[in-house]
Amino acid sequence: MNTHTLTTMPKDNFIKTVLIIVMFFSFLSFSQEKKKIAIYFEFDKYEITPKGKITLDSILNLISNSRGYNITINAYTDSKGTSQHNFGLANYRKKAVFDYFIENKLDVRRVSYSKFNENLENISDDLRRKAIIELEYIKSKTFYGKNGTQVIAGKNDGVTINEYFSAKEMIRDSKFAIDEKDQIIRSDGMITICYGRATLDETGNFYLVKMPSREGVVNPSMDVYLEVTNDKDEKRWKLTEIKAESDETKKFYIFKIPIVSNGCISLNVDCKLLPDNEKITYVSTMDIFDNVEVRDAKNKLLFSAYRDNGGRENQYVFLTKTSIITRSMFFYGYKKNKKTMLRLSDLNLKEVEKKGNIPAKEYYSETVYNAKDYENGKTEKKGFWPLIKKVFTGKKTYITNNNNKQQTT
């Protein structure tokens, strides 16, 4: 006669396993509903019982393999004792459950105390001595910016996206590619994301961002910058540890952004070092323009920043390849919806050659400031016709600084 040795599962482990299975299948049955799970305490105690720990461990096991859950804790007492004593006891019970979750590595930002007040008048005292753990499954939603940026967040997180891919958008909100050291960097797109709360990944505190490349093709050398304000109240970009990767099409950057609290965050996919084959072009004008660009029939420069040069001129910064001859190009800008064109060959040019890590630079300006003339309220006008007049008549053409009228002397 054959004999078989039977192994029995310990009672606590059996109960724990059954609870996990029941909870797992019950979780599958709802999408965005809230589920309440109770644990019970001994009379006038707030220590978690062995049975309560099994229930809490089952919740932890589910959360560790799930995304997008929030936990809210409330606790109650029986009818015995004073209101003041019971109020304190209920808080101790809430804290005991909270501490148990945190001690078992659950992110503190996923757990909160509830202000919910449940009517327990018709419930027996032994069933009142409890804590209720409320779990909410947050369904994800993709939010879209008008230029194609996507942010995957919680369905009810109220995400809004502002994008800065054109000169008009960047000038409007003062989003310029200048880092903390006041150096020009190479932006491939800027975004501002305003949000409610983060609930999407395993820690519950990140949003996934998919941002299109400003130039249409992802640059693998790009970094992610965070907007900060310096002591001069100027907006600048600070390099972060966030890593941007490319999607399969090579047209979108993909990265996670951390969310600390409700608010807004501005990000810039940018390059801290300009490529060796690029140069910085500055175009200075007397007037302030919107939606600026420098281009000819074949090429268009990449707008990068705007600077107020001491109140005397407005400086627009562009990036271009060193192989492009900008002297033959045109500067376009809008002032009060009226388009203005400046031929760069008519402007004064100053060039600075590339030296080591310092990129090549070229400065175009409408006028060359003469200190004495400027103090007298006028600056000499440069260009082809002013030069012809100066050669044949010996007279210079000036622009008065106050009313922009021309005069000759």
Side-chain angles (χ1 to χ4, degrees), residues 14 28 60 72 83 96 125 155-156 182 188 324 348 362 391:
F14 176 75
L28 292 179
L60 286 165
T72 307
S83 297
D125 277 346
K155 186 175 182 180
N156 299 318
D182 214 33
D188 204 10
I324 295 177
N348 182 66
E362 50 188 17
V391 170

Side-chain angles (χ1 to χ4, degrees), residues 358-370:
I358 301 174
K361 300 179 182 180
E362 50 188 17
Y363 298 86
Y364 290 92
S365 179
E366 279 191 283
T367 58
V368 175
Y369 294 105
N370 178 293

Side-chain angles (χ1 to χ4, degrees), residues 208-233:
L208 184 66
V209 178
K210 185 177 179 181
M211 191 189 84
S213 166
R214 185 180 174 192
E215 295 191 312
V217 180
V218 163
N219 183 338
S221 65
M222 289 295 186
D223 299 296
V224 179
Y225 286 71
L226 174 69
E227 186 178 69
V228 295
T229 303
N230 63 18
D231 54 6
K232 297 179 182 178
D233 202 31

Side-chain angles (χ1 to χ4, degrees), residues 358-409:
I358 301 174
K361 300 179 182 180
E362 50 188 17
Y363 298 86
Y364 290 92
S365 179
E366 279 191 283
T367 58
V368 175
Y369 294 105
N370 178 293
K372 184 176 180 180
D373 286 335
Y374 194 83
E375 289 174 1
N376 293 328
K378 60 184 182 180
T379 54
E380 184 180 352
K381 183 176 176 62
K382 294 296 181 179
F384 178 77
W385 292 113
L387 177 62
I388 293 297
K389 183 179 288 187
K390 182 178 179 180
V391 170
F392 287 97
T393 68
K395 296 181 178 181
K396 299 179 181 179
T397 302
Y398 292 93
I399 299 175
T400 59
N401 298 326
N402 294 328
N403 56 22
N404 207 33
K405 293 181 178 178
Q406 295 185 13
Q407 61 178 348
T408 57
T409 58

Side-chain angles (χ1 to χ4, degrees), residues 8-271:
T8 59
M9 181 182 294
K11 185 177 180 181
D12 282 353
N13 288 348
F14 176 75
I15 295 173
K16 183 175 180 180
T17 302
V18 171
L19 279 172
I20 290 174
I21 293 172
V22 171
M23 290 175 65
F24 175 76
F25 283 102
S26 64
F27 265 61
L28 292 179
S29 65
F30 61 69
S31 57
Q32 205 172 355
E33 297 177 359
K34 294 181 179 179
K35 185 173 183 64
K36 295 179 180 179
I37 301 170
I39 65 168
Y40 293 88
F41 295 87
E42 296 178 358
F43 173 72
D44 204 29
K45 302 288 185 180
Y46 58 83
E47 292 82 8
I48 299 173
T49 66
K51 189 175 180 180
K53 289 182 180 180
I54 292 174
T55 302
L56 296 183
D57 287 343
S58 301
I59 295 173
L60 286 165
N61 187 66
L62 277 174
I63 295 300
S64 66
N65 295 299
S66 305
R67 291 176 49 169
Y69 283 95
N70 281 335
I71 295 177
T72 307
I73 306 167
N74 210 343
Y76 306 92
T77 67
D78 59 27
S79 61
K80 299 179 177 63
T82 64
S83 297
Q84 183 177 2
H85 174 80
N86 288 339
F87 179 80
L89 180 59
N91 283 333
Y92 279 125
R93 286 174 174 173
K94 281 194 288 188
K95 187 175 186 305
V97 176
F98 179 89
D99 290 344
Y100 190 85
F101 282 140
I102 303 308
E103 288 168 4
N104 284 275
K105 311 302 180 184
L106 194 63
D107 194 305
V108 66
R109 289 167 290 188
R110 297 195 67 184
V111 189
S112 63
Y113 293 161
S114 173
K115 297 179 180 179
F116 181 76
N117 186 19
E118 186 178 356
N119 185 356
L120 302 179
E121 290 180 0
N122 298 321
I123 301 176
S124 61
D125 277 346
D126 60 335
L127 295 180
R128 292 191 192 187
R129 305 171 193 136
K130 64 182 176 181
I132 295 178
I133 299 94
E134 187 176 88
L135 293 95
E136 180 185 11
Y137 172 67
I138 306 298
K139 190 174 181 180
S140 66
K141 178 181 177 180
T142 301
F143 296 83
Y144 294 89
K146 65 178 182 179
N147 291 312
T149 299
Q150 302 174 30
V151 177
I152 301 175
K155 186 175 182 180
N156 299 318
D157 286 1
V159 173
T160 59
I161 307 168
N162 289 319
E163 300 158 295
Y164 306 96
F165 294 102
S166 70
K168 183 176 183 179
E169 294 164 339
M170 293 166 70
I171 292 172
R172 181 193 65 208
D173 287 357
S174 300
K175 303 289 186 185
F176 306 125
I178 307 176
D179 71 3
E180 286 186 295
K181 297 180 181 179
D182 214 33
Q183 299 296 312
I184 298 296
I185 48 182
R186 192 184 208 289
S187 177
D188 204 10
M190 308 174 187
I191 53 174
T192 295
I193 301 171
C194 296
Y195 50 84
R197 56 183 178 174
T199 50
L200 264 294
D201 76 343
E202 287 73 13
T203 67
N205 291 282
F206 288 85
Y207 288 157
L208 184 66
V209 178
K210 185 177 179 181
M211 191 189 84
S213 166
R214 185 180 174 192
E215 295 191 312
V217 180
V218 163
N219 183 338
S221 65
M222 289 295 186
D223 299 296
V224 179
Y225 286 71
L226 174 69
E227 186 178 69
V228 295
T229 303
N230 63 18
D231 54 6
K232 297 179 182 178
D233 202 31
E234 299 170 322
K235 295 178 181 178
R236 293 293 184 263
W237 296 105
K238 179 179 180 180
L239 183 63
T240 71
E241 299 283 332
I242 300 172
K243 300 301 179 185
E245 299 179 354
S246 171
D247 76 331
E248 295 179 356
T249 68
K250 306 296 183 183
K251 294 181 179 180
F252 287 84
Y253 295 98
I254 298 177
F255 52 90
K256 284 185 177 182
I257 59 170
I259 307 296
V260 178
S261 61
N262 294 5
C264 299
I265 184 171
S266 291
L267 300 159
N268 180 11
V269 176
D270 220 317
C271 187

